[in-house]
Amino acid sequence: MARIGVFVCHCGENIGRTVDVPSVARAAQGFPGVVVSKDNKYTCSEPGQAIIREAIREHMLTGVVIAACSPHMHERTFRRVCASAGLNPFLCEIANIREHCSWIHEDRGEATAKAIDLVRLAVEKVKRNIPLETISIPIERKALVIGGGIAGIQAALDIADGGREVILVEKEPSIGGHMSQLSETFPTLDCSQCILTPRMVEVAQHPRIRLMTYSEVESVDGYVGNFDVTIRKKARKVDATICTGCGACMTACVQRKVSNEFDEGLSKRTAIYTPFPQAVPNIPVIDQMKCLRILSQKKGKQDACGKCLDACAIGAIRFDQEDELVTEKVGAIVVATGYSLYSIGKEQDSPDISGYGEYGYGTIPDVIDGMQFERLASASGPTAGKILRPSDGKEPKRIVFLQCIGSRDRAKGIDYCSKICCMYVAKHTMLYRHKVHDGQATVFYMDVRANGKGYDEFTRRAIEEDGAVYMRGRVSRMYRDGDVIKVVGFDTLAGEPVTIDADMVVLATAIRPRPGIKDLAQKLSISYDKHGFLNEAHPKLRPVETNTAGVFLAGACQAPRDIPDTVATASSAAAKVLGLFSQESLEREPTVARVDISHCAGCFTCERVCPYGAIGHREIRDRQGRLIKTVADVNPGVCQGCGTCQATCPSKSVELMGFTDEQIFAEVNAILA
Amino acid sequence: MTIGYYPGCSLHGTGREYDESVRAVAGALGLTLREIDDWSCCGATSAHSVNPLLAVVLPARNLALAESAGMTDVLTPCAACYNRLARSEHAVATNPELAEKMPRLLGRPFSNSVHVRTVLDVLRESLPVIKEKTVQPLKGMKVACYYGCLLLRPAEIAGGDDPESPTFMEEIVKAIGAEPVTWNLRMDCCGGSMSIPHAESVVRLSRAILEDARSAGAEALVVACPMCHSNLDFRQQAYTNKGETTLPVLYLTELLGLALGLNAESLGLKRHFVSPAPMLERMAVAAKEAV
Amino acid sequence: METNTPQPAGTFEPRMVAFVCNWCTYTGADLAGTSRLTMEPNVRIVRLPCTGRIDPLFILKALERGADGVIVSGCHPGDCHYTSGNYHARRRFAVFHDLLQFLGFEEDRLTFSWVSASEGMKWKDIVDDAVARVRALGPFRGYDREAVAGSELAGRAA
């Protein structure tokens, strides 16, 4: 038997002025199931709350309706009041007679009639509520960070410094990411490696960080607080436990003509290699596609070479080493996989993107991209920091920089802005002038986007102090004429076509998501946009969370981003992880879906429409263990309570607690009674 | 294979050798050309300078005639005619309101079902046949493939080729044994129809093209447009200085015809202003030596 | 507005139900309230977690119980708090709409809208507009009310 208490609030004058509150309370007294109905000036106040508590005890209420302001204001407050009086908090409903009634209507009669209907609706609903307990899920207080660039490094350090264990997985042989390839960073012109390598070392030495390099995430199962992750530790072919990093193997290696990825193809490396001298860990890896011995083994021939085996004094080279699969349980995952760059060639990372035929598809000598310029400028780069032409090693006296290559160009398939190029092009012009005092830099730009702290001043410095000439317009084409590159463009401010002779051209290419990111996103059940950048839960208010509880984003995997913002998002994601881990257990709102296994036919249409992958399969067996049927099963820890499953279910076998069909029909009946 | 044929005014006038060589080559390759009956001017530069609707309707008349004659594809060798016809086809295909009005404007039924094709596109499709029927491969002959503008712009009607970095002409030229040179101004404007109102532009632009082709080592320039041919061949004398060698300008189909063993007369080679005779003699000598 | 007795001409006031999602439209309606935007009082809101929860039967039930018009409103495409619920709602509604058309149901009685949490003004406009349209159409008599009233289904109320 229902025993409902109704409490109608005046909210001072806010409700009372327009709605005849006492008559609403009187009308409610007559509703079937209502045993007490009162009105009060300020129900949310201490005395107001006390009245409710008292009424619950005195009348042994089985449900409470508060007719007052929006549930978004005080639902939580009143639920707590009920709980404190011994009534299950989910047996409390709010009728919104302020925002949805007294504040939007003027006629007292109309407003009062509407308020009565809304109270009747709430009474019918609460009569059909069932007591629910918040769901408690245990938490594994260990985090997984995927990606060892500056974003992953920062997130890992913050979580570990916060007292929690971290596993940092990086697919390359060393951590450091793109930041380790940079020469200097804007707006301070800090040497990139100088500020990065101490962090890299800190990560390697941190007692709570387990570093797995040359490794990739193979699969992810489970849910927030309870992820089961399988990681593939790729075979380095080197025993990392005894290798001292002496480098003798690299000196001895016979295969010396492999294109060096770290130098963006501007130099060569050996088959056994570390990507750069300050690599962390400083343990080499054998490139299995280029090692002569491994290639001969693959062809079934006699083992070739093996010079590294001889050169290694402690026998750390292990050609028989295999990939290793490791499983770990973690409670939260931070994705920090970074970015890739648009290609200046013809082949692109997606069929929707096309290259710049007008710039020769990357075949014109000495036309390079921004990262290649960084390597030239870098002291540890292929030219020891001298700006020299890749074609003939001469010093270019005239460099033309082109901004927005790929970015903001619908004809090529990309309409976003890559955010960092205006800044690094200005930086490049400055580095160039500092190294080549009589060098002239010209920049073709559409806009100059320099909106961070100290950024505008930085770009002005390039123009005013380092003589960079900024020309507003695009380049329609380039071609090689003898020793010189003809850059044919337009100066829109002067209104004239212009042809500039350049010794070198640097293209500021668009930031792209990393290849393979969609596979990783699907493993994590997180979504991505049409380009492949990972989606945040809310673009303004939840920038580092995803729609999958327990998975967070840091850095450029989400969108083009500079280093300060990357570090900020990494720390932010770490804070979210630490916040998650600081709870005793995870408390989930229990207004989740539940399957009635007697009705469920196992069609799994609900599974297909669930945005969270919260629906799994459950086998129903008889006492002999024989399978009767497989039905849908909602994981209450993952279900967010949207109800799409219930509306989709052909047999109405899955119900959303608090919003069952019966309740909604009762509500409709109530307001139209 | 049969294909509709729209020669256009130039090919019946100053570009006669283009028409002759296209027909000769088509015959040699087993391609039947069905000329559109009662075809009329495509509008050229005049129509689109004056009225955008006229610029669509004039060429569309020819497409409507082709359609009623049961043609599905139409080859038009003149690059300017191609540009106008293809633009018309594209405009009607992408504008349903316009498509609805067309039959009334044309005074005849029209469903825009005819596809307009460039000579490069059609020849490229016949590459296997070309390779098979080449009897006099132009061994080692260096030529500069010149596309000009109208075959490549706007990008939507580039006849299937990459508008920023086209390759169709080079593919065809390689198939007949010649060597296309790498040069820079192959997509630059020759001056186009400025030939009459502002000949100085033609002189400046066409000269640059010839100089670039020459410095890349080309023995001849290969074109696919009668306007380009006119500017580069007819006007070449105007900008050739004393002591400079002239460069013969051949239509792609003329070069192709030579490789297919057709005689120079039937290809219209005698109509050129810059005589290709010295080049033909060198080729004959080389052919004899090769045997 | 207790019963839907026939009103004297010119005084018909429609009774309307709105099924809205908690995160966008409900909050948008709250904002309309906070901004004190006056609107027609004919609409009663049923709060749901997501428009994805909406079964077309809810709309039919509302009409069966005496509603003259129904509003369904949720988050803009792409903004659904639960990622995709509103897409499912849109698809269901599109099919349901075709069915209603087939049955000769007056389209103007049904309103489908996207209202975000910041669009208080838009909610007011949608309410006022929907009420005006339904008022002009008159009471919904598209079924045999007596048959329903006399059946056991009527007994399920309250």
Side-chain angles (χ1 to χ4, degrees):
Chain A
M1 258 321 295
R3 299 180 60 78
I4 310 297
V6 175
F7 304 89
V8 192
C9 188
H10 287 252
C11 192
E13 285 284 290
N14 285 302
I15 298 175
R17 190 172 358 137
T18 317
V19 171
D20 183 350
V21 172
S23 77
V24 173
R26 275 196 302 277
Q29 185 78 58
F31 294 162
V34 173
V35 299
V36 59
S37 178
K38 297 175 191 282
D39 62 293
N40 190 291
K41 264 286 191 284
Y42 295 103
T43 315
C44 56
S45 65
E46 245 317 300
Q49 292 184 30
I51 288 173
I52 298 173
R53 249 179 253 122
E54 221 180 275
I56 290 172
R57 287 192 203 106
E58 194 190 317
H59 296 274
M60 291 173 301
L61 297 181
T62 59
V64 158
V65 169
I66 320 281
C69 52
S70 170
H72 289 161
M73 297 292 298
H74 283 305
E75 188 174 60
R76 218 166 258 185
T77 316
F78 292 122
R79 284 202 174 151
R80 257 183 262 129
V81 169
C82 291
S84 69
L87 179 66
N88 184 286
F90 293 91
L91 297 174
C92 169
E93 286 293 329
I94 314 289
N96 185 340
I97 61 170
R98 190 181 74 172
E99 282 87 337
H100 287 189
C101 191
S102 69
W103 274 356
I104 58 173
H105 303 311
E106 286 166 337
D107 183 301
R108 199 171 168 81
E110 299 282 3
T112 307
K114 179 165 171 175
I116 292 173
D117 283 348
L118 291 174
V119 172
R120 197 187 304 114
L121 179 157
V123 167
E124 288 307 311
K125 178 163 197 261
V126 83
K127 276 175 10 186
R128 290 163 180 81
N129 278 9
I130 55 172
L132 298 171
E133 300 301 325
T134 49
I135 299 160
S136 251
I137 322 173
I139 312 172
E140 178 67 44
R141 290 178 181 75
K142 198 191 299 175
L144 169 69
V145 176
I146 307 177
I150 183 61
I153 288 170
Q154 185 65 47
L157 285 173
D158 283 344
I159 297 171
D161 284 345
R164 299 298 181 193
E165 301 279 321
V166 180
I167 299 171
L168 177 55
V169 172
E170 165 56 54
K171 80 195 280 197
E172 297 298 325
S174 165
I175 53 175
H178 281 302
M179 191 174 165
S180 58
Q181 291 176 287
L182 304 181
S183 165
E184 272 114 325
T185 57
F186 58 78
T188 50
L189 293 184
D190 271 313
C191 153
S192 184
Q193 291 224 0
C194 306
I195 56 178
L196 178 64
T197 43
R199 298 257 166 133
M200 288 164 59
V201 171
E202 219 188 310
V203 162
Q205 295 177 344
H206 204 293
R208 280 187 289 279
I209 298 179
R210 222 167 106 209
L211 185 56
M212 289 190 201
T213 54
Y214 209 51
S215 304
E216 289 185 57
V217 170
E218 182 98 341
S219 69
V220 178
D221 282 307
Y223 51 93
V224 59
N226 300 274
F227 291 108
D228 289 303
V229 186
T230 305
I231 299 162
R232 176 179 291 274
K233 295 175 74 169
K234 299 182 290 194
R236 292 180 111 96
K237 303 296 189 186
V238 172
D239 186 341
T241 58
I242 57 174
C243 170
T244 59
C246 72
C249 51
M250 292 189 264
T251 316
C253 183
V254 156
Q255 171 62 282
R256 308 194 82 81
K257 292 222 172 57
V258 185
S259 178
N260 188 346
E261 307 86 348
F262 191 77
D263 277 344
E264 300 291 323
L266 292 174
S267 70
K268 305 283 183 211
R269 61 163 170 80
T270 44
I272 185 167
Y273 72 105
T274 52
F276 54 101
Q278 302 92 327
V280 169
N282 193 12
I283 296 164
V285 135
I286 295 185
D287 181 348
Q288 297 181 32
M289 307 293 280
K290 300 290 182 192
C291 168
L292 297 175
R293 191 178 183 91
I294 293 180
L295 288 172
S296 67
Q297 284 172 348
K298 280 189 196 159
K299 289 189 191 133
K301 295 201 185 124
Q302 204 184 21
D303 287 348
C305 195
K307 293 272 186 305
C308 53
L309 274 170
D310 302 331
C312 180
I314 47 169
I317 314 284
R318 297 279 154 82
F319 279 99
D320 57 353
Q321 196 184 70
E322 296 291 329
D323 288 359
E324 198 191 321
L325 287 175
V326 167
T327 36
E328 292 285 341
K329 210 172 175 74
V330 299
I333 300 175
V334 177
V335 185
T337 48
Y339 66 92
S340 176
L341 286 174
Y342 173 84
S343 167
I344 65 174
K346 197 162 184 186
E347 293 296 317
Q348 295 295 335
D349 58 58
S350 154
D352 301 323
I353 312 288
S354 49
Y356 280 85
E358 55 265 55
Y359 301 163
Y361 286 131
T363 57
I364 302 174
D366 302 318
V367 173
I368 60 176
D369 71 17
M371 193 57 90
Q372 287 175 313
F373 189 84
E374 291 281 348
R375 294 313 303 147
L376 290 176
S378 179
S380 59
T383 55
K386 292 205 188 61
I387 308 296
L388 300 174
R389 302 200 319 170
S391 66
D392 56 13
K394 290 202 191 125
E395 188 174 70
K397 296 296 183 191
R398 299 160 298 185
I399 301 186
V400 175
F401 296 87
L402 271 59
Q403 293 188 177
C404 296
I405 300 307
S407 310
R408 307 175 66 192
D409 194 343
R410 281 197 193 147
K412 303 303 176 195
I414 298 175
D415 42 7
Y416 57 82
C417 166
S418 293
K419 200 166 185 184
I420 62 174
C421 328
C422 287
M423 285 304 290
Y424 76 64
V425 167
K427 176 186 76 172
H428 285 174
T429 63
M430 290 159 77
L431 295 181
Y432 174 50
R433 179 52 74 94
H434 298 172
K435 291 171 192 280
V436 181
H437 302 303
D438 56 343
Q440 177 59 58
T442 306
V443 178
F444 276 93
Y445 72 99
M446 302 206 293
D447 293 288
V448 179
R449 295 184 165 173
N451 43 23
K453 185 168 179 176
Y455 282 21
D456 203 74
E457 301 92 307
F458 183 79
T459 55
R460 294 233 55 90
R461 221 176 104 190
I463 299 167
E464 289 167 6
E465 289 176 34
D466 288 319
V469 169
Y470 269 67
M471 193 159 292
R472 190 179 178 277
R474 286 197 70 93
V475 170
S476 61
R477 113 187 147 79
M478 285 191 270
Y479 56 88
R480 186 96 173 183
D481 190 11
D483 218 18
V484 144
I485 306 164
K486 295 273 190 203
V487 180
V488 182
F490 200 82
D491 180 346
T492 59
L493 296 177
E496 284 175 353
V498 59
T499 302
I500 298 188
D501 287 353
D503 300 313
M504 182 188 275
V505 172
V506 182
L507 304 176
T509 50
I511 300 283
R512 298 287 300 153
R514 286 200 73 86
I517 191 65
K518 291 183 185 172
D519 291 332
L520 180 64
Q522 282 164 3
K523 283 178 191 165
L524 295 166
S525 295
I526 58 180
S527 60
Y528 44 88
D529 68 14
K530 69 177 186 201
H531 295 286
F533 289 115
L534 301 176
N535 283 344
E536 59 288 302
H538 189 281
K540 297 196 91 74
L541 298 179
R542 299 174 68 196
V544 297
E545 297 161 82
T546 62
N547 271 326
T548 303
V551 180
F552 305 95
L553 303 175
C557 59
Q558 187 206 347
R561 191 157 270 163
D562 57 23
I563 293 168
D565 283 352
T566 294
V567 171
T569 54
S571 292
S572 170
K576 294 283 181 193
V577 169
L578 290 171
L580 181 68
F581 288 176
S582 67
Q583 293 167 67
E584 282 273 321
S585 61
L586 282 177
E587 294 281 308
R588 290 287 327 284
E589 279 254 326
T591 48
V592 295
R594 205 182 285 183
V595 176
D596 180 343
I597 62 174
S598 60
H599 287 169
C600 176
C603 74
F604 302 110
T605 311
C606 54
E607 186 187 8
R608 282 205 290 281
V609 300
C610 176
Y612 301 98
I615 300 185
H617 297 207
R618 185 172 144 199
E619 291 176 343
I620 309 295
R621 294 184 180 273
D622 65 16
R623 278 189 228 277
Q624 280 75 46
R626 282 187 302 240
L627 183 66
I628 303 175
K629 64 173 175 175
T630 312
V631 296
D633 185 48
V634 178
N635 181 335
V638 183
C639 172
Q640 304 283 321
C642 70
T644 306
C645 53
Q646 185 172 2
T648 311
C649 178
S651 60
K652 303 298 171 213
S653 304
V654 57
E655 291 208 296
L656 179 60
M657 299 297 106
F659 297 96
T660 62
D661 277 348
E662 205 197 325
Q663 281 175 302
I664 294 168
F665 289 145
E667 288 176 54
V668 171
N669 288 344
I671 51 181
L672 293 166
Chain B
M1 187 184 111
T2 304
I3 191 170
Y5 187 59
Y6 176 83
C9 309
S10 288
L11 264 66
H12 274 209
T14 53
R16 207 168 310 152
E17 65 271 34
Y18 196 9
D19 184 50
E20 286 167 351
S21 56
V22 167
R23 288 179 195 276
V25 160
L29 294 176
L31 199 62
T32 308
L33 303 175
R34 266 182 74 197
E35 191 165 332
I36 300 173
D37 193 32
D38 191 34
W39 60 264
S40 51
C41 176
C42 70
T45 317
S46 327
H48 76 79
S49 310
V50 159
N51 183 313
L53 188 57
L54 186 66
V56 172
V57 175
L58 266 180
R61 178 181 177 274
N62 299 293
L63 296 179
L65 288 168
E67 198 180 86
S68 359
M71 299 176 194
T72 52
D73 288 56
V74 163
L75 164 64
T76 172
C78 170
C81 297
Y82 168 74
N83 198 280
R84 296 320 318 166
L85 262 69
R87 280 209 206 213
S88 177
E89 182 195 343
H90 188 256
V92 176
T94 52
N95 187 338
E97 273 175 44
L98 179 61
E100 230 183 319
K101 284 196 259 184
M102 288 306 283
R104 185 174 50 82
L105 291 167
L106 291 167
R108 61 188 323 112
F110 182 58
S111 56
N112 201 29
S113 62
V114 175
H115 183 50
V116 188
R117 300 179 65 184
T118 64
V119 76
L120 299 178
D121 178 25
V122 172
L123 287 175
R124 186 171 174 267
E125 207 178 57
S126 308
L127 270 179
V129 181
I130 290 172
K131 285 191 185 135
E132 195 195 303
K133 301 213 165 165
T134 298
V135 294
Q136 275 176 15
L138 311 171
K139 280 208 205 46
M141 179 179 174
K142 291 192 182 182
V143 296
C145 294
Y146 176 67
Y147 290 81
C149 310
L150 298 170
L151 289 172
L152 302 171
R153 325 211 223 294
E156 292 82 33
I157 56 159
D161 208 346
D162 182 340
E164 298 292 358
S165 187
T167 56
F168 282 15
M169 216 189 287
E170 279 85 354
E171 286 177 54
I172 296 162
V173 157
K174 270 194 222 160
I176 56 175
E179 193 188 308
V181 300
T182 307
W183 63 302
N184 297 316
L185 303 185
R186 62 192 190 119
M187 300 182 318
D188 274 38
C189 182
C190 64
S193 56
M194 287 294 118
S195 186
I196 306 298
H198 202 261
E200 307 93 86
S201 302
V202 169
V203 165
R204 178 171 52 87
L205 293 168
S206 294
R207 182 180 163 80
I209 289 165
L210 280 166
E211 271 188 18
D212 191 37
R214 241 196 302 261
S215 62
E219 299 169 51
L221 207 61
V222 181
V223 302
C225 167
M227 193 75 244
C228 299
H229 190 270
S230 169
N231 288 342
L232 291 162
D233 172 63
F234 167 53
R235 288 206 180 275
Q236 197 178 129
Q237 207 59 46
Y239 45 80
T240 304
N241 298 329
K242 235 188 169 132
E244 282 176 341
T245 45
T246 52
L247 207 62
V249 182
L250 268 69
Y251 284 105
L252 176 65
T253 39
E254 290 175 327
L255 197 71
L256 182 52
L258 290 172
L260 295 174
L262 304 173
N263 80 46
E265 186 84 21
S266 71
L267 296 169
L269 280 160
K270 66 171 194 233
R271 299 192 197 277
H272 290 201
F273 282 80
V274 176
S275 173
M279 181 198 88
L280 293 171
E281 266 167 44
R282 278 200 304 276
M283 279 173 64
V285 168
K288 276 207 196 93
E289 282 174 359
V291 168
Chain C
M1 255 209 264
E2 287 276 337
T3 54
N4 194 22
T5 47
Q7 312 263 341
T11 61
F12 163 66
E13 277 306 318
R15 305 172 76 196
M16 312 210 3
V17 178
F19 295 99
V20 309
C21 83
N22 175 53
W23 302 94
C24 287
T25 303
Y26 194 94
T27 312
D30 275 355
L31 179 61
T34 324
S35 316
R36 311 291 198 277
L37 300 175
T38 318
M39 61 182 88
E40 299 278 21
N42 312 57
V43 177
R44 311 279 186 260
I45 289 178
V46 173
R47 177 182 171 213
L48 299 165
C50 179
T51 47
R53 173 68 191 90
I54 298 176
D55 193 322
L57 288 178
F58 297 170
I59 299 172
L60 289 178
K61 174 62 85 173
L63 295 168
E64 182 211 331
R65 300 312 321 171
D68 300 297
V70 173
I71 300 173
V72 169
S73 184
C75 304
H76 286 265
D79 293 346
C80 177
H81 177 83
Y82 303 100
T83 318
S84 53
N86 58 352
Y87 292 136
H88 291 288
R90 181 167 63 176
R91 279 176 227 162
R92 262 179 233 134
F93 190 80
V95 176
F96 186 60
H97 182 254
D98 284 351
L99 174 66
L100 290 176
Q101 270 191 319
F102 174 71
L103 296 171
F105 182 75
E106 296 145 304
E107 281 177 54
D108 277 348
R109 294 192 185 273
L110 209 47
T111 306
F112 193 80
S113 67
W114 308 125
V115 174
S116 81
S118 55
E119 291 177 317
M121 195 67 205
K122 186 173 176 190
W123 177 244
K124 172 206 146 67
D125 287 340
I126 283 170
V127 166
D128 286 346
D129 187 62
V131 171
R133 267 186 281 120
V134 176
R135 195 184 281 124
L137 286 170
F140 177 54
R141 297 206 203 288
Y143 63 94
D144 190 340
R145 192 180 288 276
E146 273 68 49
V148 171
S151 81
E152 44 185 278
L153 291 165
R156 289 248 254 141

